[in-house]
Amino acid sequence: MKPTLLILFFCCCFQHLKAQQIHLKKEPSNLKDFIQQIEKQTPYTFAYSDSVNLNWKISDAMNLDELNKENLIAQLNRNQHYDFQLIGNTITVKALKNVSQQRFQLSGTIVDPNEQALAEVNIYVKEQATGTTTNEKGEFSLQLLQGTYTLIITYLGFADREETVKLTKNTKLNLSMEESGESLEEVIITQNDKAVDIKKPQMSVNSLSMQEIKQIPVAMGEPDPLKSLLTLPGVTNAGESSSGFNVRGGAADQNLVLLDGTPIYNDSHMFGFFSVFNADAVNHLKLYKGGIPSKFGGRVSSVLDVHQHTGNDQDFDAEGSIGLISSKLKVEGPLQKDKGSFMLAGRTSYAHLFLKLADNDNSAQFYDINTQLNYRMNDKNALSFSAYYGNDIFDISDNFLSTYGNTMANLKWQHRFNDDINTHLSLFYSDYQFNLSFNSLDFKWESNIKSYGLTYDWKHYLSENIQLNYGAQAIYYTFNPGTLQPEGETSQFNYQQLDKKYALEPSFFLDVEQRITEKLNVRYGLRYSMFYRFGPQSISTYENNQPVIYNADFNIYEEAEPNGTRNYEKGDQISSFDNFEPRIAISYALNDDTSFKASYNRMAQYLHMISNSQSPTPVNIWTPSGPFIEPQLLNQYAFGYFKNFSNKMYSLETEVFYKNIDNRIDYVDGADLIANNNIERVILNGKARAYGLEVLFRKNKGKFTGWASYTLSRAEQKTTGNTAEDPGIANGDWYLSPYDKLHNLNLTGNYDYSDKWSFSANFNLQSGQPVTFPNGYYEIGGIPVPNYSLRNENRLPTYHHLDLAATYTPTQKKEKNWQSYWVFSIYNVYNQKNAASIRFTTNDDTGINEARRLSIFGILPSVSYNFKF
């Protein structure tokens, strides 16, 4: 009897256990949360490998209200991602073989309230602890497993947005971001958040928002994206009113400047007072100092990638500004609603008009025009056309006239094969012209560089962890170093045409972006570049193949006399080069706020700027590699520590870098570069190196924001002679490059005092530029002749200035579409006379030798009125 009762007792208990309901205290956010709740309510434990995604949204795979111990395994196995098996009291979890078939594409476009595409918007997938950013068209794409996801979308100057997406098929979203508060700064440049992107392997990138750029005080009061980058570490220039910019000790010609993917060969107006980039026409830009993706090539210092506005395809808008010496206007609107748009922007200076009123015969002016046209043919095809034209005019008393400027055009076809493959095919043209006329001497000088190019790049999403970027590019160059044309019958000059040069630069590239683990992300790739120099041209030959010879008696270098010529017909190959250019960047996240990053770049540059000035000038001439001039080859290494503090209130970026460049040319003392048809007779091949530490500390939130940047670096060159007996430059030792700045400190702050007033300040202090001063003199026939020190052995005085600005925004009336604000700024508040150069001469009255400092700017106030309607 007792055994029977015992059996009945166990049966009842088993039946009760079998039907026991599982009550979840809350809906589990992911598989990990679900496992923890089940293990607390049951005797079961779970066993799984590291490949199991514990962030998987399990609630999409079962009815959580019907869970009990009897049907738990059956419920779990309704999903098509993992296999659950009960062995004793252990539930094993294994990934199904067909899991890859259940991945779907989540893609979309993000725009502002005016339907303007937003680039570099951050899309974070909360459940997967991963994300991506939008491209220049505002597009993004992710591959995710079937499930429900929460997207957190953030972008500087706009309110954060949260979207819940249930992914059961390939899904495309079209989202609009709302501005955070009253804001006129709708143009956002590159950065979606001021805080550091910890997990992305990209490093060595400078970026600023347009809101910050408009607040930074600059000379002449014109907001300038290019000059604003000088407030960040590793970026300098030759001083006030100087053209170009220098990155990590590199020369200006070592920067690849792209406007909508098209190379620009001169980045300045009015000899450096303004850049060619109209802030109102720019959508976003990025300056890569290192870790440069494989799709970029052709320069060895940096890449400045600038993109114009695409235009509003819903409504017509206009904005502009009126300043003391320049004004600008931008209009945009739909060509066809929801399909096509246009953007047209113009800018001009009018300082020359005031000079004429003051009976001043000298004048300087510039103007430029930007345009962008876009048309979406269907969901898979879109066309865009962008163009730029800029021109500068500088004349002195109607005797000297100089005109120069850029012209570019780019036609792009975007095609989407499917949700995983996007392509861009571009045709582009770029032309830089420099013309010079001397009326008193009756001659005209013309020079230019033209390039015609094709780029075809593909973006291929293999999975949520792997993305491929690959493609090809080809650029054909024509170089006209100079054409001299006599004007008038009294001209003393004869027609002269310096040798034109022709070259082709094809290349292929592949980049792989891969998330190896939640903490480790890498991007690695390879670029293969080629360069072909073609005729027609006659190349001089020299004894021992040495166009420069050393005269030991006078301790000087002299031009060798050609002993013959080698003639090449049209299409004949003169020279050819090819190089493999590997790239890699790695990011390892210690946690959500801290990471280490490292990168390596090898790059080749086949073009060279012929100049012996510290700062590029309009007369500088580009020349291709060929006989006697080898391509420049770079190897750059960088390592960085990145951290966000106090919920991203503060951020810290630190990097150390080292780079070396082979085949960096320099010029012998006394070199004559103007109208020199045999430039190889005044140059020597050498090498360069640069290394340093960069620190950027930012305050990202609150009424007061800003940053402090500091760079400690060294940039040097070494140029030996052609033979063991030649001393080279500076006796063949390392000497400072013209772009060395040992110390560079920038402090920038912005304070939002009220809805109407905001204030900003910028302080810059940097080491003086390396120069060569005379260290004595001797007399010949009573005439003092200076004796110079070694190359770049001296420096100009330390450079520093403080700038202030205030922005006043009147109360905007809601019933009116007109919006406006005023910007008042003072450049160089304490009137520091920074030396642009120091000239040594003899005082005519006393006969004493003296140094005379040339300064460009003292204190310079400015005001501008900005509007939008």
Side-chain angles (χ1 to χ4, degrees):
M1 182 69 181
K2 289 183 179 181
T4 304
L5 290 174
L6 189 61
I7 292 171
L8 289 174
F9 174 77
F10 274 106
C11 288
C12 290
C13 291
F14 176 75
Q15 187 67 27
H16 175 74
L17 178 66
K18 183 177 180 181
Q20 182 178 345
Q21 191 73 20
I22 297 174
H23 299 284
L24 301 179
K25 294 182 179 180
K26 61 177 182 177
E27 181 176 326
S29 59
N30 51 33
L31 179 58
K32 182 179 180 181
D33 185 16
F34 179 80
I35 289 175
Q36 290 174 346
Q37 293 195 51
I38 295 299
E39 288 182 339
K40 287 182 180 179
Q41 297 188 47
T42 71
Y44 302 140
T45 58
F46 287 76
Y48 45 85
S49 67
D50 292 338
S51 63
V52 172
N53 180 16
L54 295 177
N55 291 315
W56 174 56
K57 189 84 170 182
I58 194 170
S59 59
D60 291 332
M62 66 191 71
N63 186 344
L64 297 176
D65 296 331
E66 297 179 359
L67 284 180
N68 56 56
K69 292 183 179 179
E70 181 183 31
N71 66 10
L72 176 61
I73 298 300
Q75 280 284 356
L76 288 174
N77 282 321
R78 286 183 183 180
N79 84 93
Q80 297 180 348
H81 306 289
Y82 296 104
D83 176 49
F84 296 84
Q85 296 294 330
L86 180 62
I87 303 176
N89 280 342
T90 301
I91 299 176
T92 61
V93 187
K94 295 181 180 179
L96 292 173
K97 294 181 179 180
N98 65 344
V99 66
S100 62
Q101 299 174 356
Q102 297 302 314
R103 295 182 185 273
F104 297 108
Q105 191 81 17
L106 176 62
S107 60
T109 303
I110 298 180
V111 298
D112 66 12
N114 296 319
E115 298 296 320
Q116 187 73 225
L118 294 176
E120 295 296 315
V121 175
N122 186 50
I123 300 101
Y124 180 75
V125 184
K126 185 176 180 180
E127 291 76 12
Q128 294 291 319
T130 186
T132 187
T133 56
T134 57
N135 62 18
E136 64 270 14
K137 298 292 185 181
E139 302 166 338
F140 71 93
S141 182
L142 286 165
Q143 282 200 350
L144 300 169
L145 293 171
Q146 177 180 336
T148 300
Y149 298 98
T150 303
L151 306 182
I152 300 175
I153 305 167
T154 58
Y155 194 60
L156 181 64
F158 290 78
D160 293 352
R161 179 166 180 170
E162 188 171 301
E163 288 288 324
T164 301
V165 179
K166 188 168 184 177
L167 200 63
T168 58
K169 61 180 180 179
N170 291 338
T171 303
K172 186 171 184 179
L173 304 176
N174 292 301
L175 304 175
S176 177
M177 300 284 285
E178 295 296 329
E179 294 180 4
S180 54
E182 296 290 336
S183 176
L184 292 174
E185 294 79 16
E186 293 184 351
V187 184
I188 302 295
I189 294 186
T190 64
Q191 193 157 307
N192 54 326
D193 197 335
K194 300 176 189 177
V196 181
D197 190 331
I198 295 298
K199 293 189 176 181
K200 204 169 185 178
Q202 181 63 61
M203 62 185 298
S204 307
V205 172
N206 280 149
S207 57
L208 290 172
S209 73
M210 181 54 65
Q211 181 179 4
E212 293 167 319
I213 288 174
K214 287 187 175 182
Q215 291 175 330
I216 296 174
V218 292
M220 306 297 183
E222 170 80 15
D224 195 320
L226 184 58
K227 290 190 178 297
S228 298
L229 290 174
L230 301 175
T231 65
L232 295 169
V235 189
T236 62
N237 67 359
E240 292 168 324
S241 75
S242 62
S243 301
F245 59 99
N246 308 115
V247 176
R248 290 182 170 176
D253 68 306
Q254 294 174 327
N255 303 315
L256 176 63
V257 180
L258 298 172
L259 181 59
D260 286 336
T262 304
I264 299 293
Y265 297 101
N266 187 320
D267 58 25
S268 299
H269 285 303
M270 292 181 67
F271 301 97
F273 286 106
F274 300 90
S275 81
V276 298
F277 302 117
N278 181 344
D280 289 344
V282 169
N283 186 326
H284 67 281
L285 62 80
K286 280 186 178 181
L287 176 65
Y288 297 87
K289 300 179 296 184
I292 300 174
S294 300
K295 69 177 181 178
F296 298 117
R299 302 293 189 276
V300 294
S301 189
S302 73
V303 176
L304 178 61
D305 189 23
V306 184
H307 291 269
Q308 298 184 117
H309 268 301
T310 57
N312 188 339
D313 65 0
Q314 297 297 313
D315 300 297
F316 289 93
D317 292 308
E319 64 179 302
S321 69
I322 301 172
L324 292 179
I325 65 170
S326 68
S327 293
K328 55 187 176 180
L329 178 67
K330 183 193 76 173
V331 294
E332 59 181 321
L335 294 172
Q336 182 180 350
K337 271 205 170 185
D338 298 318
K339 277 188 166 292
S341 65
F342 77 92
M343 184 279 295
L344 180 65
R347 183 173 54 155
T348 186
S349 67
Y350 35 76
H352 63 289
L353 299 178
F354 297 108
L355 293 174
K356 297 295 184 183
L357 293 174
D359 294 327
N360 191 322
D361 293 333
N362 305 328
S363 71
Q365 62 175 307
F366 78 90
Y367 60 90
D368 56 26
I369 299 173
N370 300 72
T371 188
Q372 174 91 213
L373 305 175
N374 293 273
Y375 187 76
R376 291 187 293 273
M377 294 177 283
N378 51 47
D379 290 341
K380 291 190 175 184
N381 294 280
L383 288 175
S384 64
F385 174 78
S386 60
Y388 169 85
Y389 176 75
N391 196 43
D392 280 72
I393 303 172
F394 178 69
D395 68 79
I396 301 177
S397 302
D398 294 327
N399 290 321
F400 169 88
L401 175 65
S402 171
T403 61
Y404 60 93
N406 296 282
T407 303
M408 63 76 65
N410 185 300
L411 178 63
K412 180 181 292 186
W413 170 46
Q414 179 181 349
H415 176 68
R416 181 170 60 90
F417 283 95
N418 52 49
D419 291 327
D420 296 329
I421 302 177
N422 287 287
T423 66
H424 294 86
L425 176 63
S426 299
L427 299 172
F428 62 81
Y429 166 78
S430 182
D431 178 12
Y432 172 68
Q433 301 268 352
F434 173 74
N435 302 318
L436 183 65
S437 295
F438 277 97
N439 293 334
S440 58
L441 299 177
D442 296 324
F443 82 86
K444 181 179 180 181
W445 177 270
E446 297 178 349
S447 64
N448 63 67
I449 174 176
K450 297 182 180 180
S451 58
Y452 311 80
L454 179 148
T455 301
Y456 197 22
D457 63 84
W458 295 57
K459 287 189 176 181
H460 192 165
Y461 300 91
L462 293 182
S463 69
E464 62 177 312
N465 293 328
I466 300 178
Q467 176 184 321
L468 302 182
N469 297 276
Y470 50 90
Q473 184 181 71
I475 306 177
Y476 182 76
Y477 302 95
T478 64
F479 304 83
N480 179 14
T483 304
L484 189 152
Q485 300 182 29
E487 291 188 327
E489 297 179 357
T490 61
S491 175
Q492 301 177 358
F493 295 89
N494 296 320
Y495 176 87
Q496 182 182 2
Q497 174 63 64
L498 300 184
D499 289 346
K500 293 185 177 181
K501 302 175 180 68
Y502 308 88
L504 175 67
E505 183 179 354
S507 57
F508 303 91
F509 59 88
L510 168 67
D511 251 330
V512 182
E513 295 185 32
Q514 183 174 2
R515 184 179 67 174
I516 297 178
T517 68
E518 288 295 323
K519 293 186 175 183
L520 182 62
N521 292 268
V522 298
R523 191 191 67 233
Y524 48 94
L526 178 68
R527 183 181 182 90
Y528 177 58
S529 61
M530 296 155 280
F531 192 81
Y532 302 97
R533 175 90 170 266
F534 296 109
Q537 189 180 355
S538 295
I539 304 294
S540 299
T541 59
Y542 304 90
E543 184 178 353
N544 299 322
N545 203 35
Q546 293 184 8
V548 184
I549 56 177
Y550 176 65
N551 187 325
D553 295 332
F554 293 95
N555 191 29
I556 60 173
Y557 279 96
E558 298 177 336
E559 300 181 16
E561 290 298 325
N563 60 9
T565 58
R566 184 176 292 113
N567 296 314
Y568 295 89
E569 300 298 327
K570 182 178 181 180
D572 289 349
Q573 181 175 300
I574 299 175
S575 300
S576 67
F577 308 93
D578 65 289
N579 285 282
F580 287 99
E581 305 174 35
R583 322 279 174 91
I584 185 169
I586 303 172
S587 171
Y588 182 78
L590 299 179
N591 50 53
D592 290 340
D593 293 318
T594 310
S595 70
F596 290 99
K597 298 184 183 184
S599 66
Y600 166 74
N601 273 92
R602 181 172 175 82
M603 303 182 73
Q605 177 171 336
Y606 301 99
L607 306 187
H608 312 261
M609 183 181 287
I610 304 303
S611 171
N612 57 2
S613 64
Q614 312 281 37
S615 171
T617 64
V619 75
N620 295 153
I621 303 300
W622 290 86
T623 191
S625 297
F628 311 112
I629 302 180
E630 297 286 322
Q632 299 178 70
L633 300 175
L634 162 83
N635 290 287
Q636 179 172 217
Y637 312 83
F639 179 80
Y641 172 77
F642 303 84
K643 187 172 182 60
N644 293 317
F645 304 88
S646 303
N647 195 27
K648 298 186 178 181
M649 173 72 76
Y650 305 96
S651 60
L652 174 68
E653 302 176 43
T654 62
E655 291 189 35
V656 291
F657 69 90
Y658 175 84
K659 64 181 183 180
N660 59 73
I661 300 172
D662 294 330
N663 305 321
R664 178 62 182 168
I665 60 175
D666 208 343
Y667 308 93
V668 300
D669 294 334
D672 183 9
L673 304 180
I674 305 299
N676 191 334
N677 206 34
N678 297 97
I679 198 70
E680 68 274 6
R681 298 165 69 186
V682 294
I683 62 174
L684 293 173
N685 282 293
K687 55 186 177 181
R689 68 184 181 188
Y691 47 91
L693 165 70
E694 298 173 354
V695 180
L696 176 63
F697 180 78
R698 303 191 63 146
K699 184 178 185 295
N700 302 318
K701 301 177 182 179
K703 278 186 168 293
F704 176 78
T705 59
W707 61 92
S709 70
Y710 174 69
T711 306
L712 174 67
S713 64
R714 175 66 76 210
E716 300 173 308
Q717 291 181 232
K718 186 175 185 179
T719 309
T720 57
N722 294 323
T723 66
E725 292 75 23
D726 293 0
I729 297 175
N731 297 321
D733 297 325
W734 288 101
Y735 57 95
L736 297 180
S737 87
Y739 323 106
D740 176 82
K741 299 289 177 69
L742 180 62
H743 302 284
N744 184 23
L745 172 68
N746 274 280
L747 304 174
T748 302
N750 303 304
Y751 179 67
D752 292 328
Y753 176 74
S754 66
D755 291 338
K756 291 187 176 182
W757 284 100
S758 63
F759 302 93
S760 60
N762 177 58
F763 175 73
N764 175 237
L765 182 146
Q766 61 186 21
S767 300
Q769 191 161 348
V771 291
T772 306
F773 287 156
N775 55 11
Y777 74 96
Y778 53 90
E779 291 188 358
I780 299 180
I783 300 175
V785 179
N787 181 68
Y788 285 90
S789 60
L790 295 177
R791 182 74 59 90
N792 293 338
E793 200 172 43
N794 312 106
R795 283 188 183 273
L796 293 176
T798 300
Y799 174 95
H800 57 93
H801 63 88
L802 171 67
D803 315 318
L804 301 175
T807 301
Y808 172 69
T809 305
T811 302
Q812 311 295 332
K813 295 182 179 180
K814 293 183 178 180
E815 64 273 13
K816 292 186 177 181
N817 291 326
W818 186 276
Q819 295 178 320
S820 64
Y821 64 98
W822 292 83
V823 178
F824 308 91
S825 65
I826 303 177
Y827 181 86
N828 196 1
V829 171
Y830 51 81
N831 199 31
Q832 170 66 20
K833 300 293 186 180
N834 287 303
S837 66
I838 293 181
R839 184 167 60 96
F840 293 84
T841 185
T842 302
N843 189 299
D844 294 334
D845 297 328
T846 64
I848 299 175
N849 292 329
E850 61 183 15
R852 296 180 181 177
R853 174 186 298 201
L854 172 64
S855 299
I856 303 298
F857 290 137
I859 185 171
L860 186 63
S862 64
V863 60
S864 66
Y865 175 70
N866 303 267
F867 58 88
K868 177 181 177 181
F869 59 91

PDB file of all heavy atoms in Angstrom, residues 230-246:
ATOM      1  N   LEU A 230      42.679  75.499 -38.330  1.00  0.00           N
ATOM      2  CA  LEU A 230      43.981  75.829 -37.770  1.00  0.00           C
ATOM      3  C   LEU A 230      43.948  75.901 -36.244  1.00  0.00           C
ATOM      4  O   LEU A 230      45.000  75.947 -35.604  1.00  0.00           O
ATOM      5  CB  LEU A 230      44.484  77.163 -38.336  1.00  0.00           C
ATOM      6  CG  LEU A 230      44.648  77.236 -39.860  1.00  0.00           C
ATOM      7  CD1 LEU A 230      45.035  78.643 -40.276  1.00  0.00           C
ATOM      8  CD2 LEU A 230      45.670  76.227 -40.351  1.00  0.00           C
ATOM      9  N   THR A 231      42.752  75.922 -35.655  1.00  0.00           N
ATOM     10  CA  THR A 231      42.650  75.938 -34.196  1.00  0.00           C
ATOM     11  C   THR A 231      42.799  74.554 -33.592  1.00  0.00           C
ATOM     12  O   THR A 231      42.796  74.417 -32.372  1.00  0.00           O
ATOM     13  CB  THR A 231      41.296  76.524 -33.760  1.00  0.00           C
ATOM     14  OG1 THR A 231      40.239  75.659 -34.198  1.00  0.00           O
ATOM     15  CG2 THR A 231      41.086  77.914 -34.337  1.00  0.00           C
ATOM     16  N   LEU A 232      42.927  73.526 -34.412  1.00  0.00           N
ATOM     17  CA  LEU A 232      43.004  72.144 -33.931  1.00  0.00           C
ATOM     18  C   LEU A 232      44.427  71.624 -34.052  1.00  0.00           C
ATOM     19  O   LEU A 232      45.248  72.152 -34.819  1.00  0.00           O
ATOM     20  CB  LEU A 232      42.016  71.281 -34.717  1.00  0.00           C
ATOM     21  CG  LEU A 232      40.552  71.660 -34.475  1.00  0.00           C
ATOM     22  CD1 LEU A 232      39.640  70.968 -35.471  1.00  0.00           C
ATOM     23  CD2 LEU A 232      40.130  71.316 -33.056  1.00  0.00           C
ATOM     24  N   PRO A 233      44.784  70.589 -33.324  1.00  0.00           N
ATOM     25  CA  PRO A 233      46.187  70.157 -33.256  1.00  0.00           C
ATOM     26  C   PRO A 233      46.703  69.611 -34.578  1.00  0.00           C
ATOM     27  O   PRO A 233      45.967  69.011 -35.358  1.00  0.00           O
ATOM     28  CB  PRO A 233      46.174  69.066 -32.174  1.00  0.00           C
ATOM     29  CG  PRO A 233      44.764  68.595 -32.122  1.00  0.00           C
ATOM     30  CD  PRO A 233      43.925  69.786 -32.442  1.00  0.00           C
ATOM     31  N   GLY A 234      47.990  69.858 -34.819  1.00  0.00           N
ATOM     32  CA  GLY A 234      48.650  69.308 -35.999  1.00  0.00           C
ATOM     33  C   GLY A 234      48.467  70.105 -37.260  1.00  0.00           C
ATOM     34  O   GLY A 234      49.004  69.734 -38.308  1.00  0.00           O
ATOM     35  N   VAL A 235      47.718  71.231 -37.212  1.00  0.00           N
ATOM     36  CA  VAL A 235      47.427  72.014 -38.416  1.00  0.00           C
ATOM     37  C   VAL A 235      47.923  73.444 -38.207  1.00  0.00           C
ATOM     38  O   VAL A 235      47.533  74.103 -37.236  1.00  0.00           O
ATOM     39  CB  VAL A 235      45.926  72.034 -38.734  1.00  0.00           C
ATOM     40  CG1 VAL A 235      45.679  72.664 -40.097  1.00  0.00           C
ATOM     41  CG2 VAL A 235      45.343  70.629 -38.691  1.00  0.00           C
ATOM     42  N   THR A 236      48.770  73.936 -39.101  1.00  0.00           N
ATOM     43  CA  THR A 236      49.299  75.297 -39.022  1.00  0.00           C
ATOM     44  C   THR A 236      49.352  75.885 -40.427  1.00  0.00           C
ATOM     45  O   THR A 236      49.016  75.223 -41.412  1.00  0.00           O
ATOM     46  CB  THR A 236      50.713  75.317 -38.414  1.00  0.00           C
ATOM     47  OG1 THR A 236      51.599  74.567 -39.266  1.00  0.00           O
ATOM     48  CG2 THR A 236      50.735  74.713 -37.020  1.00  0.00           C
ATOM     49  N   ASN A 237      49.769  77.138 -40.515  1.00  0.00           N
ATOM     50  CA  ASN A 237      50.117  77.710 -41.817  1.00  0.00           C
ATOM     51  C   ASN A 237      51.291  78.649 -41.637  1.00  0.00           C
ATOM     52  O   ASN A 237      51.864  78.750 -40.550  1.00  0.00           O
ATOM     53  CB  ASN A 237      48.914  78.404 -42.475  1.00  0.00           C
ATOM     54  CG  ASN A 237      48.466  79.641 -41.729  1.00  0.00           C
ATOM     55  OD1 ASN A 237      49.017  80.012 -40.698  1.00  0.00           O
ATOM     56  ND2 ASN A 237      47.430  80.270 -42.249  1.00  0.00           N
ATOM     57  N   ALA A 238      51.660  79.343 -42.712  1.00  0.00           N
ATOM     58  CA  ALA A 238      52.878  80.147 -42.670  1.00  0.00           C
ATOM     59  C   ALA A 238      52.687  81.466 -41.942  1.00  0.00           C
ATOM     60  O   ALA A 238      53.630  82.231 -41.801  1.00  0.00           O
ATOM     61  CB  ALA A 238      53.375  80.406 -44.096  1.00  0.00           C
ATOM     62  N   GLY A 239      51.467  81.760 -41.464  1.00  0.00           N
ATOM     63  CA  GLY A 239      51.230  82.996 -40.734  1.00  0.00           C
ATOM     64  C   GLY A 239      50.034  83.746 -41.280  1.00  0.00           C
ATOM     65  O   GLY A 239      49.264  83.241 -42.103  1.00  0.00           O
ATOM     66  N   GLU A 240      49.859  84.968 -40.811  1.00  0.00           N
ATOM     67  CA  GLU A 240      48.720  85.781 -41.229  1.00  0.00           C
ATOM     68  C   GLU A 240      48.764  86.052 -42.728  1.00  0.00           C
ATOM     69  O   GLU A 240      49.826  86.263 -43.315  1.00  0.00           O
ATOM     70  CB  GLU A 240      48.726  87.107 -40.465  1.00  0.00           C
ATOM     71  CG  GLU A 240      48.448  86.941 -38.987  1.00  0.00           C
ATOM     72  CD  GLU A 240      48.728  88.202 -38.201  1.00  0.00           C
ATOM     73  OE1 GLU A 240      49.689  88.914 -38.541  1.00  0.00           O
ATOM     74  OE2 GLU A 240      47.988  88.457 -37.244  1.00  0.00           O
ATOM     75  N   SER A 241      47.590  86.019 -43.317  1.00  0.00           N
ATOM     76  CA  SER A 241      47.407  86.298 -44.750  1.00  0.00           C
ATOM     77  C   SER A 241      48.237  85.377 -45.631  1.00  0.00           C
ATOM     78  O   SER A 241      48.656  85.762 -46.720  1.00  0.00           O
ATOM     79  CB  SER A 241      47.752  87.756 -45.073  1.00  0.00           C
ATOM     80  OG  SER A 241      49.157  87.983 -45.069  1.00  0.00           O
ATOM     81  N   SER A 242      48.480  84.158 -45.184  1.00  0.00           N
ATOM     82  CA  SER A 242      49.253  83.206 -45.980  1.00  0.00           C
ATOM     83  C   SER A 242      48.331  82.151 -46.562  1.00  0.00           C
ATOM     84  O   SER A 242      47.341  81.769 -45.950  1.00  0.00           O
ATOM     85  CB  SER A 242      50.336  82.533 -45.129  1.00  0.00           C
ATOM     86  OG  SER A 242      49.758  81.814 -44.082  1.00  0.00           O
ATOM     87  N   SER A 243      48.647  81.699 -47.756  1.00  0.00           N
ATOM     88  CA  SER A 243      47.855  80.684 -48.422  1.00  0.00           C
ATOM     89  C   SER A 243      48.230  79.301 -47.909  1.00  0.00           C
ATOM     90  O   SER A 243      49.288  79.091 -47.337  1.00  0.00           O
ATOM     91  CB  SER A 243      48.081  80.747 -49.935  1.00  0.00           C
ATOM     92  OG  SER A 243      47.735  82.002 -50.455  1.00  0.00           O
ATOM     93  N   GLY A 244      47.333  78.351 -48.165  1.00  0.00           N
ATOM     94  CA  GLY A 244      47.629  76.966 -47.856  1.00  0.00           C
ATOM     95  C   GLY A 244      47.596  76.680 -46.367  1.00  0.00           C
ATOM     96  O   GLY A 244      47.346  77.538 -45.532  1.00  0.00           O
ATOM     97  N   PHE A 245      47.843  75.423 -46.029  1.00  0.00           N
ATOM     98  CA  PHE A 245      47.928  74.982 -44.649  1.00  0.00           C
ATOM     99  C   PHE A 245      48.905  73.822 -44.580  1.00  0.00           C
ATOM    100  O   PHE A 245      49.156  73.134 -45.563  1.00  0.00           O
ATOM    101  CB  PHE A 245      46.554  74.588 -44.104  1.00  0.00           C
ATOM    102  CG  PHE A 245      45.870  73.479 -44.863  1.00  0.00           C
ATOM    103  CD1 PHE A 245      45.913  72.179 -44.406  1.00  0.00           C
ATOM    104  CD2 PHE A 245      45.180  73.742 -46.041  1.00  0.00           C
ATOM    105  CE1 PHE A 245      45.287  71.153 -45.092  1.00  0.00           C
ATOM    106  CE2 PHE A 245      44.549  72.724 -46.743  1.00  0.00           C
ATOM    107  CZ  PHE A 245      44.602  71.430 -46.263  1.00  0.00           C
ATOM    108  N   ASN A 246      49.479  73.649 -43.415  1.00  0.00           N
ATOM    109  CA  ASN A 246      50.492  72.620 -43.216  1.00  0.00           C
ATOM    110  C   ASN A 246      50.000  71.630 -42.168  1.00  0.00           C
ATOM    111  O   ASN A 246      49.495  72.034 -41.124  1.00  0.00           O
ATOM    112  CB  ASN A 246      51.816  73.244 -42.761  1.00  0.00           C
ATOM    113  CG  ASN A 246      52.269  74.374 -43.670  1.00  0.00           C
ATOM    114  OD1 ASN A 246      52.337  75.520 -43.260  1.00  0.00           O
ATOM    115  ND2 ASN A 246      52.548  74.066 -44.918  1.00  0.00           N
TER     116      ASN A 246
END
